């Protein structure tokens, strides 16, 4: 092939490769430093709250055998039917990216014998994957913080789990959220209820929306979730699950309600709350908001007392929840509680051409936990000060030829309307530490 032809082909190939690769995958987000800073703050509240209640971190792989999810979450659910990223690994076994982490946690507990004569409290935080139609608040890679407790069957752990969620939302200053709870009873109560519900809905089959009609056989309880106005009108007269519960199931729920009231947790009971995953039994709950459009659920969970046994473990009750971080962080930002966006306490400017003493000072400041950005790359002093301002620094330290000769440093307070101060170089570290402490104490007082 003549050289020019090769060159043209290479150019075309590289252009095609570029246009194919240049875009990220739909529904999967990049996060940039201004945002990751908010994420880190929220994540630290989540970790700390888990720690406060004695929950410990578990990390499971992003990939699991597909069967784990289809058998745990349920073959007839939207997640398993339509939303999993699944592939056959080298023609051998079907693997899926995890759409949630309850099933993985249960798998890990059984595989490693973590539940033998032991109760466990876990938390996890990480990406999940669902091939949903992306829109605001709904992504294909999203993140969940979740907690799971194994080995307790009484309503006290249900109340604890709900309190953990409540504390997180309160600590983050998220307002306008409502908690709805319901009970699904045991498998046998649900079977009796399903029969009654299906009987009722079959009589109104012709007037149900298409989605609900298709669920009638596979998963009639999910029809209770329908947003279609006509279907909702039909549901208003439908039998309610509560009437099909055994006395002990009813008692569990009433005791939970009393515990929540005693601890000041506000909730409402929603008979129609059924959740979209098959493993739930008994208590289910969901925090929703009206601030995020259609994607109202911020945190959701419930009991799954049969899941461990159904996956081959010894019968062990379980309960937990998961929060969607993207939605949670959106709410934190809407409430203006993102925290301090600054990424430096001190900005160091040195125009002498020999920055060794300034670098040493910067290191000494970092040694005592002060965040320092050293200006790199020179430029006009005015531009360097502009960078100092953009970094959010509270102080700028400036050393020029004159300061180097005299052994002093110019200190410029960036967030207070006071002039520049000249200080002996060997007093800088202590002075800065005292100044930053005073500055923060005053700021905290103003915030209150
Ligand atoms: P889930 O309701 O499927 O439950 O998800 C929990 C939360 O994850 C939702 O309330 C929402 O905030 C967030 N979420 C779900 N899908 C998306 C998405 N596509 N984009 C953004 N956020 C999303 C579970 O996953 C259960 N494993 C919860 C659980 C734990 N139950 C017991 N233990």
């Amino acid at each position: 092939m003549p050289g020019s032809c090769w060159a043209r082909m290479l150019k075309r190939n590289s252009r095609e490769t570029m246009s194919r690769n240049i875009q990220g995958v739909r529904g999967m987000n990049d996060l940039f430093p201004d945002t990751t800073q908010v994420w880190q703050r929220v994540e630290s509240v989540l970790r700390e709250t888990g720690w406060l209640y004695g929950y410990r971190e578990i990390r499971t792989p992003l990939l699991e055998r597909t069967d784990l999810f289809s058998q745990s979450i349920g073959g007839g659910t939207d997640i398993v039917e339509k939303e999993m990223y699944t592939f056959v690994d080298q023609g051998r076994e079907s693997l899926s990216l995890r759409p949630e982490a309850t099933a993985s946690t249960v798998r890990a507990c059984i595989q490693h014998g973590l539940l033998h004569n032991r109760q466990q409290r876990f938390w996890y935080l990480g990406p999940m994957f669902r091939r949903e139609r992306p829109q605001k608040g709904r992504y294909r890679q999203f993140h969940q913080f979740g907690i799971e407790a194994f080995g307790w069957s009484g309503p006290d752990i249900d109340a604890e789990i709900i309190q953990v969620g409540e504390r997180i939302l309160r600590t983050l200053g998220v307002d306008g959220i409502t908690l709805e709870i319901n009970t699904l009873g045991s498998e046998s109560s649900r079977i009796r209820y399903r029969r009654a519900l299906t009987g009722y809905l079959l009589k109104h089959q012709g007037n149900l929306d298409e989605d609900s009609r298709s669920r009638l056989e596979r998963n009639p309880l999910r029809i209770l979730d329908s947003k279609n106005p006509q279907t909702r009108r039909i549901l208003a007269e439908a039998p309610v699950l509560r009437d099909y519960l055994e006395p002990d199931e009813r008692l569990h729920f009433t005791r939970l309600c009393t515990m929540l009231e005693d601890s000041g947790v506000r909730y409402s009971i929603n008979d129609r709350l059924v959740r979209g995953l098959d493993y739930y039994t008994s208590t289910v709950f969901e925090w929703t908001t009206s601030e995020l459009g259609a994607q109202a659920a911020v945190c959701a969970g419930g009991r799954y007392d049969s899941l461990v046994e159904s996956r081959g473990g010894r019968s062990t009750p379980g309960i937990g929840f998961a929060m969607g971080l993207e939605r949670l962080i959106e709410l934190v930002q809407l409430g203006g509680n993102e925290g301090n966006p600054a990424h430096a306490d001190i900005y160091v400017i040195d125009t002498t051409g020999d920055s060794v003493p300034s670098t040493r000072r910067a290191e000494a400041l970092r040694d005592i936990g002060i965040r320092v950005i050293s200006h790199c790359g020179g430029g006009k002093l005015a531009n360097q000060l502009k960078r100092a301002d953009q970094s959010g620094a509270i102080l700028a330290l400036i050393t020029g030829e004159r300061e180097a000769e005299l052994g002093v440093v110019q200190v410029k307070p960036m967030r207070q309307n006071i002039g520049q101060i000249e200080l002996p170089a060997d007093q800088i570290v202590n002075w800065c530490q005292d100044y930053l402490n005073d500055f923060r104490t005053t700021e905290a007082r103003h915030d209150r």
Side-chain angles (χ1 to χ4, degrees):
M1 197 184 286
S4 62
C5 246
W6 262 115
R8 263 203 311 276
M9 203 176 86
L10 279 175
K11 205 166 156 194
R12 199 181 58 229
N13 278 353
S14 85
R15 225 184 299 128
E16 278 171 6
T17 314
M18 280 279 281
S19 63
R20 246 187 288 125
N21 291 343
I22 206 95
Q23 298 286 322
V25 178
R26 209 166 153 240
M28 305 202 177
N29 300 317
D30 299 307
L31 295 178
F32 304 109
D34 279 349
T35 316
T36 50
Q37 209 165 321
V38 186
W39 277 68
Q40 283 169 13
R41 195 175 79 79
V42 169
E43 285 167 6
S44 73
V45 168
L46 298 171
R47 289 195 181 96
E48 252 159 55
T49 313
W51 179 84
L52 275 180
Y53 286 81
Y55 288 70
R56 296 181 305 150
E57 186 182 9
I58 186 165
R59 296 188 193 194
T60 59
L62 301 193
L63 273 180
E64 297 274 357
R65 295 210 165 87
T66 303
D67 285 354
L68 173 69
F69 300 120
S70 51
Q71 289 166 9
S72 308
I73 299 169
T77 59
D78 284 353
I79 297 180
V80 170
E81 265 192 351
K82 308 183 215 157
E83 296 169 0
M84 289 215 291
Y85 284 95
T86 297
F87 67 96
V88 177
D89 185 20
Q90 306 240 328
R92 277 187 223 125
E93 56 185 347
S94 176
L95 302 180
S96 294
L97 280 171
R98 63 180 188 190
E100 59 105 56
T102 308
S104 312
T105 307
V106 165
R107 194 265 311 135
C109 284
I110 298 171
Q111 183 176 341
H112 301 286
L114 304 182
L115 303 177
H116 283 319
N117 304 320
R118 255 196 297 177
Q119 295 167 314
Q120 295 278 11
R121 286 178 166 93
F122 294 117
W123 64 261
Y124 51 80
L125 196 164
M128 310 290 157
F129 304 84
R130 296 185 194 175
R131 205 179 184 292
E132 296 194 74
R133 199 165 46 78
Q135 54 173 262
K136 189 176 153 65
R138 186 163 75 191
Y139 306 103
R140 291 180 168 180
Q141 175 177 317
F142 60 99
H143 297 75
Q144 281 186 345
F145 169 79
I147 63 173
E148 313 287 353
F150 294 92
W152 290 272
S153 54
D156 44 359
I157 194 79
D158 303 25
E160 175 182 294
I161 295 266
I162 291 175
Q163 272 173 307
V164 176
E166 241 264 327
R167 180 179 287 273
I168 290 170
L169 298 171
R170 193 164 13 102
T171 310
L172 290 171
V174 172
D175 296 322
I177 298 247
T178 44
L179 168 65
E180 291 185 335
I181 62 173
N182 191 22
T183 178
L184 303 179
S186 62
E187 182 70 29
S188 56
S189 308
R190 244 185 355 268
I191 289 174
R192 279 187 289 124
Y193 174 64
R194 194 177 296 138
R195 217 174 291 136
L197 181 68
T198 313
Y200 170 83
L201 291 174
L202 275 173
K203 284 192 230 143
H204 300 272
Q205 197 172 4
N207 293 322
L208 291 176
D209 62 282
E210 204 184 311
D211 227 21
S212 298
R213 262 203 307 274
S214 77
R215 283 182 165 149
L216 207 48
E217 288 254 311
R218 286 178 298 128
N219 203 347
L221 260 65
R222 289 287 285 149
I223 299 177
L224 296 175
D225 256 358
S226 170
K227 307 271 180 298
N228 180 286
Q230 176 141 335
T231 303
R232 285 182 84 95
R233 269 195 296 278
I234 296 170
L235 287 171
E237 303 289 314
V240 275
L241 207 155
R242 216 172 333 135
D243 297 337
Y244 292 78
L245 298 180
E246 298 292 347
D248 60 326
E249 295 163 7
R250 227 177 276 218
L251 183 64
H252 182 106
F253 193 62
T254 332
R255 285 180 60 208
L256 168 63
C257 292
T258 312
M259 284 173 188
L260 293 179
E261 278 149 33
D262 288 349
S263 35
V265 175
R266 290 163 65 155
Y267 67 89
S268 58
I269 297 174
N270 176 359
D271 287 326
R272 310 247 175 269
L273 180 66
V274 285
R275 309 272 302 120
L277 300 91
D278 280 359
Y279 50 62
Y280 290 113
T281 52
S282 179
T283 310
V284 288
F285 52 89
E286 211 164 79
W287 273 275
T288 52
T289 173
S290 51
E291 305 273 339
L292 299 180
Q295 303 314 313
V298 180
C299 175
R303 271 202 171 270
Y304 44 88
D305 289 345
S306 321
L307 184 58
V308 175
E309 193 175 13
S310 77
R311 300 281 45 81
R314 219 177 282 170
S315 169
T316 311
I319 177 165
F321 71 59
M323 278 185 179
L325 261 70
E326 282 77 3
R327 295 181 193 176
L328 182 64
I329 286 164
E330 178 86 29
L331 289 175
V332 169
Q333 288 175 321
L334 280 175
N337 298 320
E338 350 14 2
N340 183 1
H343 45 283
D345 300 315
I346 293 182
Y347 197 91
V348 173
I349 296 172
D350 190 310
T351 57
T352 61
D354 168 22
S355 56
V356 174
S358 291
T359 306
R360 242 183 245 140
R361 241 183 333 268
E363 286 296 305
L365 287 162
R366 292 182 187 118
D367 285 346
I368 55 169
I370 295 174
R371 293 177 304 170
V372 184
I373 290 185
S374 296
H375 183 88
C376 296
K380 285 187 193 150
L381 182 62
N383 287 342
Q384 299 196 33
L385 282 169
K386 206 159 141 196
R387 291 282 169 84
D389 189 39
Q390 286 164 349
S391 75
I394 296 161
L395 292 171
L397 304 184
I398 308 157
T399 310
E401 297 292 349
R402 182 186 154 275
E403 286 76 21
E405 236 165 69
L406 296 175
V408 294
V409 173
Q410 298 292 332
V411 183
K412 186 174 172 52
M414 305 291 294
R415 312 290 148 200
Q416 275 184 317
N417 210 2
I418 48 176
Q420 206 160 287
I421 312 153
E422 185 173 287
L423 287 173
D426 57 3
Q427 291 178 19
I428 286 291
V429 173
N430 287 341
W431 190 91
C432 287
Q433 187 175 31
D434 291 344
Y435 180 91
L436 291 174
N437 283 342
D438 286 350
F439 182 84
R440 292 202 181 102
T441 314
T442 317
E443 285 250 293
R445 222 175 285 136
H446 284 167
D447 285 350
R448 260 185 262 133

